[in-house]
């Protein structure tokens, strides 16, 4: 089993092995988040990488968007593309060490959950739950099936996710996303979870 520590991810970024990167803000996440502009929610995008969604939301006028990644250089794209994005909203940290407690309205999930070791999934559930305000939500996409190779990415099934998340969240949506990019269409579930 690979050790998915900061070094592992730094190497992936240095060697430009970023095959997960879809080169644009993820349509299902954007369609969900854009509707919330008037509320200007406090949003975290964990394992954000090039953070296309954060850049797009920032450009739409959202002012409370935070991104977290273990690898500082992952944010180079954001720094170059959105130089006025608040520097203190770039959280270079292990997601599991973020010192946030009941502060977020929304966590946007785009290929972070699938990047962590599956043994950490219960911790992901606890951590996201602890960072969200009561009534806060997770929204985003999860792969709809397991992969026939060792991850990352690590997939899963709707049933597995239901069992995992229902311990802490009310599941509002967990169905195939109609808005995924073409290569992932049919292979992603849109997830919306309520604390
Ligand atoms: C599969 S990539 C996804 C990046 C981005 N969400 C995207 O879809 O393009 C996973 C990202 O999570 C970061 N990462 C992995 N484990 C992490 C952790 N424990 N804390 C913070 N970031 C982490 C990696 O550095 C990497 O940038």
């Amino acid at each position: 089993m690979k050790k998915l520590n900061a070094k592992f991810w730094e190497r992936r970024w240095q060697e430009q092995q970023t095959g997960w990167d879809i080169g644009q803000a993820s349509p299902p996440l954007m369609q969900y988040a854009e509707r919330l502009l008037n509320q200007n929610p406090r949003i975290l995008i964990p394992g954000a990488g090039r953070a296309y969604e954060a850049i797009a939301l920032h450009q739409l006028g959202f002012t409370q968007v935070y991104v977290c990644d273990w690898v500082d250089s992952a944010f180079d794209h954001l720094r170059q593309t959105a130089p006025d994005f608040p520097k203190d909203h770039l959280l270079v940290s292990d997601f599991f060490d973020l010192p946030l407690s009941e502060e977020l309205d929304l966590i946007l999930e785009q290929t972070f959950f699938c990047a962590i070791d599956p043994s950490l999934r219960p911790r992901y559930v606890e951590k996201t739950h602890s960072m969200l305000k009561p009534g806060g939500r997770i929204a985003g996409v999860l792969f709809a099936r397991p992969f026939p190779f060792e991850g990352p990415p690590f997939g899963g099934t709707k049933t597995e996710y239901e069992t995992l998340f229902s311990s802490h969240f009310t599941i509002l949506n967990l169905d195939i996303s109609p808005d995924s990019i073409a290569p992932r269409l049919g292979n992603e579930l849109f997830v919306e979870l309520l604390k």
Side-chain angles (χ1 to χ4, degrees), residues 9 13 20-22 46-50 68-71 74 93-96 110-112 115-116:
W9 289 105
W13 278 100
W20 60 73
D21 190 313
I22 64 173
R50 291 198 178 90
C68 167
D69 205 289
W70 235 341
V71 182
S93 165
D94 182 349
F95 162 78
F96 293 101
Q110 170 74 20
T111 65
F112 173 61
I116 61 172

Side-chain angles (χ1 to χ4, degrees), residues 6 9-14 16 18 20-21 45-52 54-55 67-81 90-93:
W9 289 105
E10 256 160 39
R11 205 172 314 117
R12 293 289 295 257
W13 278 100
Q14 274 163 18
Q16 298 178 30
T18 55
W20 60 73
D21 190 313
I45 306 177
R50 291 198 178 90
Y52 303 104
I55 296 166
V67 288
C68 167
D69 205 289
W70 235 341
V71 182
D72 183 79
S73 66
F75 294 146
D76 287 349
H77 175 78
L78 181 150
R79 291 187 182 101
Q80 282 158 18
T81 316
L90 307 183
L91 311 174
V92 178
S93 165

Side-chain angles (χ1 to χ4, degrees), residues 4 11 38 40 43 54 63 68-69 78 80-81 95 104 109 112 114 127 169:
L4 303 178
R11 205 172 314 117
N38 291 342
N40 196 22
I43 300 175
T63 63
C68 167
D69 205 289
L78 181 150
Q80 282 158 18
T81 316
F95 162 78
L104 300 170
E109 173 51 58
F112 173 61
C114 70
K127 183 68 184 168
F169 291 94

